[in-house]
Amino acid sequence: MEINSAPEKIFSLEIINEVAENRRFKAALFDFDGTLSLIRAGWQDVMIPYFCEEYSNALPDRKESDSEVKALITSFVDELTGKQTIFQCLQLKEEIEARGGTAKEGMDYKNEYLRRLFLKIEGIRNSLSEKTVSPENYLVTGSYELLKALKEKGIEIYCASGTDQPQVREEAKMLGLDLFFGDNIFGALDEQVQQCSKELVINRLLEEKNISGDELLSFGDGFVEIELVHNVGGYTVAVATDEIKGFGINQDKRERLLRAGADVVVPDFSDTKKLINHLIKGR
């Protein structure tokens, strides 16, 4: 199914904090899934029911209703969106054990979730690999235009994802995003299971690339990446895209990203010129 074909050109730039006239960004950090890529759109519809299933099986005598279980799991899945998948799996384990249940290992939950997710997205990945569909059908509207504009302004761009690194690099190539990022695409690694991959990339930019927080720009649709960049003094663009359409606002996502510290909220990148003019003054 083509996700964002024939998009309606409805763009709204919701500004919470303006960009100072003398502010200059040196680097822009992008999330991948939901911010640029729509290959995994609807992943929550795989994870949340699966987690509810595991929770209920581990706690057969639970007192919570099905709706209460779903609310609990949805809450921590949403709050941990942006971190590696394993963090959500470890939280499920913790919730089960806190109620006296016998939980599986976090990697067991992760492996089963990914198996179910790949069944859902296998057709999309195959179509992209075989080049029978346009990559733009599985990109947030305006992604190519925005990345090109940032590079033309001399801003170094990086991608950091909670998806496993081999898969995020593979899917970035399927979408033609590797042409913009080169080797600056980072994902989750099993050997760094206790460390947030995005936090590691942010620290690398600040320490190794000699970039200050004030010079860091970020684009993301997850609570984690918005909060992390906000906390180091960066400027955060919250991408509250309706992932099923590939454009337009998802109000639940918007509200969550505002709580995380978003400086500006966009539905997509369909008006790159307006967004660039807001972010970059006098360049």
Side-chain angles (χ1 to χ4, degrees), residues 20-252:
E21 288 289 336
N22 62 347
R23 189 166 187 175
R24 296 293 181 266
F25 297 112
K26 289 185 178 179
L29 179 65
F30 281 81
D31 172 50
F32 186 69
D33 293 302
T35 300
L36 295 169
S37 171
L38 298 172
I39 291 175
R40 300 182 180 220
W43 63 266
Q44 299 94 331
D45 295 333
V46 177
M47 178 178 280
I48 292 171
Y50 167 56
F51 279 12
C52 289
E53 176 187 319
E54 290 286 359
Y55 183 98
S56 298
N57 288 341
L59 296 164
D61 299 324
R62 63 184 170 83
K63 295 181 179 179
E64 302 111 313
S65 66
D66 289 348
S67 61
E68 288 171 331
V69 171
K70 184 177 181 181
L72 167 71
I73 289 170
T74 300
S75 177
F76 74 71
V77 166
D78 284 348
E79 294 300 317
L80 291 171
T81 295
K83 284 194 173 186
Q84 298 97 301
T85 303
I86 190 65
F87 280 85
Q88 290 153 323
C89 298
L90 292 172
Q91 186 63 40
L92 172 63
K93 174 180 168 68
E94 183 177 315
E95 297 290 347
I96 290 171
E97 292 179 341
R99 291 161 177 79
T102 301
K104 299 176 183 177
E105 293 302 316
M107 284 301 296
D108 293 331
Y109 293 134
K110 177 183 173 180
N111 290 337
E112 176 59 17
Y113 158 69
L114 289 177
R115 185 190 71 79
R116 297 183 184 204
L117 178 63
F118 270 79
L119 289 175
K120 174 182 171 67
I121 66 173
E122 183 179 19
I124 296 171
R125 286 169 52 91
N126 288 343
S127 295
L128 288 167
S129 295
E130 295 163 6
K131 303 186 186 304
T132 58
V133 297
S134 168
E136 289 193 71
N137 291 333
Y138 294 98
L139 285 168
V140 170
T141 301
S143 292
Y144 289 154
E145 292 79 3
L146 176 63
L147 294 172
K148 181 180 178 183
L150 289 171
K151 289 182 75 71
E152 287 176 348
K153 294 293 184 180
I155 295 175
E156 186 98 16
I157 59 174
Y158 297 80
C159 179
S161 175
T163 297
D164 288 351
Q165 184 159 292
Q167 282 71 49
V168 72
R169 289 186 170 181
E170 181 182 32
E171 291 174 15
K173 187 173 182 179
M174 290 176 181
L175 295 170
L177 296 175
D178 58 321
L179 301 176
F180 296 96
F181 289 102
D183 293 330
N184 293 338
I185 299 175
F186 306 94
L189 298 171
D190 287 343
E191 59 266 30
Q192 296 171 341
V193 68
Q194 296 297 333
Q195 298 173 290
C196 176
S197 56
K198 292 177 182 177
E199 189 170 12
L200 290 172
V201 174
I202 291 168
N203 290 340
R204 178 183 174 189
L205 292 176
L206 298 181
E207 296 169 12
E208 297 180 19
K209 299 293 184 179
N210 198 30
I211 294 170
S212 70
D214 192 61
E215 295 168 327
L216 181 60
L217 175 64
S218 77
F219 298 80
D221 78 321
F223 189 96
V224 169
E225 61 258 24
I226 296 297
E227 184 178 53
L228 284 171
V229 175
H230 172 79
N231 287 345
V232 300
Y235 192 84
T236 57
V237 180
V239 186
T241 300
D242 180 330
E243 293 184 36
I244 303 304
K245 295 179 180 178
F247 63 94
I249 284 281
N250 177 310
Q251 288 296 336
D252 289 340

